[in-house]
Amino acid sequence: MEKIKKAIMAGVSSRPEVGVGRTMTPTASAILLLVLSIGARQNLRNDDNIVITAGDVQGYYPLSVVDDCIWDLIECAGYAEGKTADDRERAWVLESTQKEINKALQEANPDWSVRRAFTAQIIINHVEARDDEVIDNMQQALDRAVENGVKNLVVQPTHLMHGAEYDEMTEAINGYKDKFESVAIAEPMLGEVGDDATVINDDKKAVAQAITDEACKEAGFDDMKAAADAGTAFVFMGHGTSHTANVTYDQMQTQMDDLGFTNAFIGTVEGEPEDTACDKVIEKVKEAGFKNVILRPLMVVAGDHANNDMAGDDADSWKSQFEASGDFDSVDCQIAGLGRIAAVEDLYVAHTKAAIDSLGASDDAAAEDTDAKATDDSADDAQADDAAETTADTAEADAE
């Protein structure tokens, strides 16, 4: 799916008649495919094929697969033209989540100028169309920082982990390193990846503790042990990725186990890595003997994946699959993103501080008007004037 997403972003044919059985070739327009496929949903069966020809993606792909890719790309905005009021509400949730993170960063670093940037142009376009607010993309934010004489640049991604979007962001920033006196890129939420599933770190521990604390609180339990004693398991659903960093999800399971949370299970929408697929997770929960299940997203923002792939009424949603298994007495869902948890905001602040400290900049230097902090958001926020902040999330902000 990641290759298909890249092909979509590479652009499609500008011909309005493009559709099933027609070749979509790369052009400057990517939104056309979104409009065509979203509209086509009303008239086509899920097994109808669309031909995509872009980069190394060549061939027929089921409409259902392409459609999933499309919504992955725009879900961080939480809505698209023609979607429901609930979807537009999700857009507000994402935007407000990012603003809260930005606010926390600014309050923690009053002598730095904090600015936002989005890595996803589609999201930028949606925000502008909806709110008449113009947000910089990564290149614009970096160019603006250069034009405004920024000397020290710190970029804080709001990605969940080191993945494809984080790599693309890093590559873009590295191309500007000679424009500043110093540049530092902070760690994403879960920190460094590590070599294998056994490698955990303080960041993963902090997130594991934060999400389980919130999940227990919302479910009415004092802690994870109390939930386990009541026969309740928590399943935390991430996005999943074909990137080598997908080991991060297994590391999060290791972290849960290390904390003694026998009733915490990590899964992913994409089923990558394979042991995080829904059917595999159902078997794990069943074998562990838990009869009550609570599903919750392991994503920065609770967007389309959380509301539909996890908690939706369709037969292929995680909630429906857990119920259909017949192995559980109850299956409930909590719709809340990690970015709304105060402890997670604190983690971003700590990562930013570590990046600033790595520059070796003095307090006096940081106080200069030309200093900048960047927080990069692929699914989230972007803008820069005399300084730059970028927060990069996968279209979940969820995605990675």
Side-chain angles (χ1 to χ4, degrees), residues 255-308:
Q255 182 64 75
M256 293 293 187
D257 297 342
D258 188 69
L259 287 170
F261 299 156
T262 59
N263 54 332
F265 300 87
I266 304 298
T268 67
V269 177
E270 301 292 344
E272 293 181 300
E274 292 182 1
D275 62 334
T276 61
C278 187
D279 59 332
K280 299 294 197 306
V281 177
I282 289 174
E283 283 302 312
K284 291 177 184 178
V285 178
K286 176 184 175 181
E287 290 174 5
F290 296 103
K291 300 301 290 183
N292 306 306
V293 178
I294 296 176
L295 305 172
R296 184 181 176 107
L298 182 66
M299 301 175 178
V300 179
V301 176
D304 191 65
H305 280 313
N307 287 278
N308 294 320

Side-chain angles (χ1 to χ4, degrees), residues 312-369:
D313 294 327
D314 290 346
D316 60 351
S317 76
W318 281 49
K319 181 175 182 289
S320 295
Q321 290 184 65
F322 268 85
E323 291 174 338
S325 72
D327 296 319
F328 309 104
D329 295 336
S330 67
V331 181
D332 298 304
C333 297
Q334 296 179 354
I335 308 296
L338 287 163
R340 286 292 191 170
I341 302 176
V344 172
E345 287 185 6
D346 292 342
L347 192 58
Y348 281 129
V349 170
H351 286 176
T352 302
K353 182 180 184 303
I356 292 174
D357 291 346
S358 73
L359 296 178
S362 66
D363 291 339
D364 289 339
E368 294 179 9
D369 291 339

Side-chain angles (χ1 to χ4, degrees), residues 22-295:
R22 296 183 181 275
T23 301
M24 298 184 179
T25 55
T27 69
S29 174
I31 293 179
L32 176 63
L33 177 56
L34 305 182
V35 175
L36 286 172
S37 294
I38 292 170
R41 288 156 51 103
Q42 311 303 321
N43 305 312
L44 301 176
R45 303 186 310 275
N46 279 343
D47 58 353
D48 280 323
N49 292 328
I50 288 180
V51 183
I52 297 180
T53 304
D56 58 353
V57 176
Q58 310 280 332
Y60 285 84
Y61 294 89
L63 175 63
S64 58
V65 173
V66 177
D67 194 49
D68 286 344
C69 291
I70 290 166
W71 286 114
D72 271 0
L73 289 170
I74 65 173
E75 71 172 333
C76 7
Y79 79 103
E81 290 299 324
K83 293 190 76 178
T84 66
D86 286 342
D87 293 315
R88 290 191 290 273
E89 173 67 13
R90 290 170 204 156
W92 178 84
V93 170
L94 178 134
E95 186 176 8
S96 60
T97 296
Q98 290 308 313
K99 285 185 176 179
E100 285 302 309
I101 294 173
N102 293 341
K103 180 181 177 182
L105 291 172
Q106 184 65 82
E107 290 178 350
N109 302 279
D111 295 330
W112 287 71
S113 180
V114 179
R115 295 295 179 266
R116 303 182 299 162
F118 280 163
T119 56
Q121 189 63 46
I122 287 177
I123 307 308
I124 293 172
N125 294 341
H126 280 313
V127 172
E128 182 176 4
R130 185 192 64 190
D131 301 331
D132 197 27
E133 178 183 0
V134 179
I135 297 176
D136 285 342
N137 59 32
M138 274 296 298
Q139 183 174 344
Q140 290 169 334
L142 292 168
D143 287 340
R144 190 185 299 277
V146 172
E147 292 170 3
N148 290 335
V150 169
K151 295 179 181 178
N152 304 307
L153 179 69
V154 174
V155 180
Q156 174 60 63
T158 58
H159 294 110
L160 181 71
M161 54 186 272
H162 286 268
E165 291 188 358
Y166 183 92
D167 290 348
E168 291 170 4
M169 178 202 72
T170 300
E171 183 178 359
I173 295 168
N174 286 339
Y176 279 77
K177 278 194 171 182
D178 62 345
K179 308 292 185 182
F180 306 97
E181 291 182 7
S182 60
V183 175
I185 302 175
E187 288 291 330
M189 185 190 300
L190 296 178
E192 296 181 355
V193 178
D195 295 329
D196 56 55
T198 65
V199 179
I200 54 180
N201 57 33
D202 289 341
D203 294 328
K204 292 179 178 66
K205 181 178 180 180
V207 173
Q209 191 66 63
I211 193 173
T212 52
D213 284 349
E214 289 294 318
C216 286
K217 179 181 178 181
E218 185 170 335
F221 296 110
D222 290 336
D223 52 33
M224 289 293 283
K225 183 178 184 304
D229 291 342
T232 299
F234 291 93
V235 174
F236 300 105
M237 187 195 77
H239 186 281
T241 176
S242 58
H243 192 279
T244 54
N246 64 14
V247 71
T248 299
Y249 294 106
D250 287 333
Q251 291 169 349
M252 280 299 291
Q253 184 65 66
T254 299
Q255 182 64 75
M256 293 293 187
D257 297 342
D258 188 69
L259 287 170
F261 299 156
T262 59
N263 54 332
F265 300 87
I266 304 298
T268 67
V269 177
E270 301 292 344
E272 293 181 300
E274 292 182 1
D275 62 334
T276 61
C278 187
D279 59 332
K280 299 294 197 306
V281 177
I282 289 174
E283 283 302 312
K284 291 177 184 178
V285 178
K286 176 184 175 181
E287 290 174 5
F290 296 103
K291 300 301 290 183
N292 306 306
V293 178
I294 296 176
L295 305 172

